Amino acid sequence: MWYARAAMPKSHRTRKADPDKDRPARAGTIALLGRPNVGKSTLLNALMGEQLAIVSHHPQTTRDRIAGIVTRGLAQFVFVDTPGLHRPRTKLGKRMNELASLAAEDSDVIMFMTDGGVRGEVEPSICEDDRAILASIPEKKPALLLLNKIDRVTPRSRLFPLLEAYGKLRDFAAIIPVSALKADGVERIFFEIEKLLPEGEHLYGDDEMSDKPVRFFVAEFVREQILRRTRQEVPHGVAVTVESFDESPRIVHIAVTVHVAKDSHKAIVIGDGGKMLAAIGTAARKRAEQMIGRKVHLETWIRATPRWFDDPARLVDLGYADGAKTTRGST
């Protein structure tokens, strides 16, 4: 089952522009690149008008490439959320960087996002990691600069020197201050990107929302709840796999396994009398029901899989194969 728009609430992504016979059809992929925690997944959700990608306060929440498909009239936008580019310390981290780089290579347009939100008297400045990411993007690839979290900057005039400094690093097709959290700047992003998309037929059906199957998102919903409810090292050592996904006319039966990196983490995720695990399962089940549009019975198991994030064989078993690309027909 692929994630489609059937039975989903209407939003700006389902509104189609008036047909224009003189305007060609356009479609293409747009990679969202940037450091961890700059707001890429939050922006993807704002562009979609749906909570597609999971978000949390922890860095490196996104571990996979996730395509969000938006069809607006004659244009189809395939936004590809990517893991934050960082200095990896594990094989999982290396794999995440590879996925982001592959998404950039395969895309038609790049949206480079950075964080313009600062507090206090510290003036915004370009960090070295941003310089390195920008230097890795081919000059011929059209790119937009998105300066996120502008709602935290007062007055807005403080952003002008930073925007000017970034503009000197690269010839951007557009420079757009945005607030992903408040969906501020979304319409301008669509306007600027549509001009850059290749002419051609749509890549996906107009009712499709992602190239990932529903079971992928169910696992992500469980992981999101763990990220939101735990602290310290637990979130970075958690992976979730779907063991079974059985549909019936009335209810969908799903069983998942939560993998933690240490035995001691099992007690944390389970909680006193199983209360934590029950709360995680309940919240994830509600998200799954909203997506699927039917009742869901979610069974959650937990096991210790020591240092899975540095074991190539375990990474494959848990769905984190090196350089893995999503292909149609995978489950």
Side-chain angles (χ1 to χ4, degrees), residues 309-325:
F309 44 77
D310 253 338
D311 185 331
R314 290 294 188 186
L315 287 172
V316 172
D317 291 341
L318 299 178
Y320 297 119
D322 290 340
K325 291 187 180 181

Side-chain angles (χ1 to χ4, degrees), residues 31-35 82-86 97-107 110-112 128-143 169-170 172:
L32 282 71
L33 296 185
R35 292 176 283 113
T82 65
L85 288 161
H86 62 290
N97 277 355
E98 290 174 350
L99 283 177
S101 298
L102 284 170
E105 291 174 11
D106 293 342
S107 67
I110 299 290
M111 288 200 307
F112 170 73
E128 290 305 314
D129 288 344
D130 277 359
R131 293 179 186 273
I133 295 171
L134 284 171
S136 70
I137 302 173
E139 280 295 328
K140 294 183 179 180
K141 183 90 66 172
L169 294 180
R170 184 185 179 90
F172 291 102

Side-chain angles (χ1 to χ4, degrees), residues 153-281:
V153 182
T154 304
R156 295 285 176 86
S157 59
R158 292 182 61 200
L159 293 173
F160 295 162
L162 186 60
L163 292 171
E164 183 179 4
Y166 273 103
K168 292 178 180 179
L169 294 180
R170 184 185 179 90
D171 183 18
F172 291 102
I175 297 177
I176 310 175
V178 301
S179 172
L181 189 62
K182 297 184 177 181
D184 184 4
V186 163
E187 286 303 320
R188 185 174 172 205
I189 291 173
F190 279 114
F191 175 78
E192 296 292 349
I193 289 179
E194 183 170 354
K195 298 182 292 185
L196 302 173
L197 293 180
E199 295 184 13
E201 297 300 316
H202 291 178
L203 305 174
Y204 297 88
D206 289 356
D207 65 332
E208 293 189 72
M209 289 185 66
S210 180
D211 62 348
K212 294 286 190 184
V214 171
R215 62 188 295 147
F216 167 85
F217 290 104
V218 172
E220 286 287 273
F221 295 159
V222 174
R223 189 167 67 87
E224 178 181 42
Q225 293 304 316
I226 297 172
L227 291 175
R228 291 185 173 187
R229 296 166 189 267
T230 59
R231 298 288 186 273
Q232 299 176 343
E233 61 179 315
V234 175
H236 299 291
V238 168
V240 181
T241 55
V242 176
E243 307 301 329
S244 63
F245 193 107
D246 299 320
E247 297 184 70
S248 67
R250 291 187 177 181
I251 190 167
V252 180
H253 295 267
I254 306 172
V256 303
T257 298
V258 176
H259 301 262
V260 293
K262 297 180 180 180
D263 278 314
S264 59
H265 293 173
K266 290 175 62 176
I268 296 174
V269 176
I270 293 172
D272 184 20
K275 291 180 180 178
M276 173 73 81
L277 190 59
I280 289 167

Side-chain angles (χ1 to χ4, degrees), residues 63-78:
R63 290 178 178 169
D64 225 312
R65 63 174 296 284
I66 301 173
I69 305 163
V70 181
T71 303
R72 291 164 60 114
L74 297 175
Q76 187 175 79
F77 307 77
V78 183

